[in-house]
Amino acid sequence: MIFTFSITVESLILLIMVGNIIVGFTLFFLLPKENLFENEKSQLTPFPAFSAESFLNKSYAKQIDIYVNDAFPFREQLIELSAFYRDVKGIRSVRDEIQIYNIQK
């Protein structure tokens, strides 16, 4: 008996997408990260230590949330892109003041 194995394009695309997601999450947690943000001059939040007490009072989930926000891939580049976009749109923040410029063409 001969078995034929055929892969459709849709299943191949799905397999590639799921593989990319798995590899991305694995690399996110395994690759070393910088401890200092250059633009913000602040320290990266360290990965929280697990304990049953912190898990039960839900502080562990909050600490994980803070860690993921700090360690988000390409965080600094996204912040720079956001600042560039806001600048192009005419919104400039200066010392906690927001100035909106209406540029007529």
Side-chain angles (χ1 to χ4, degrees):
M1 181 181 275
I2 298 174
F3 291 103
T4 59
F5 186 70
S6 65
I7 298 177
T8 63
V9 174
E10 291 85 9
S11 61
L12 183 62
I13 291 173
L14 179 65
L15 182 65
I16 290 171
M17 288 176 57
V18 170
N20 284 337
I21 291 171
I22 291 171
V23 168
F25 277 113
T26 303
L27 291 176
F28 175 74
F29 285 106
L30 293 181
L31 289 178
K33 295 166 185 61
E34 296 179 22
N35 290 332
L36 179 68
F37 291 127
E38 294 295 325
N39 294 340
E40 299 175 16
K41 306 285 191 262
S42 64
Q43 292 288 330
L44 174 69
T45 304
F47 191 80
F50 179 80
S51 70
E53 180 182 343
S54 66
F55 181 75
L56 292 175
N57 68 13
K58 300 179 183 175
S59 67
Y60 184 71
K62 292 176 186 174
Q63 293 171 356
I64 290 286
D65 187 42
I66 293 170
Y67 170 77
V68 169
N69 286 339
D70 273 358
F72 191 80
F74 304 108
R75 180 178 188 266
E76 297 218 6
Q77 290 84 355
L78 290 171
I79 290 172
E80 289 175 12
L81 180 65
S82 173
F84 174 76
Y85 178 73
R86 292 179 65 151
D87 192 41
V88 167
K89 294 284 286 184
I91 303 172
R92 297 181 178 99
S93 59
V94 179
R95 295 187 189 152
D96 297 329
E97 295 178 20
I98 296 179
Q99 300 175 355
I100 300 176
Y101 298 94
N102 187 5
I103 301 173
Q104 299 291 328
K105 290 186 179 186

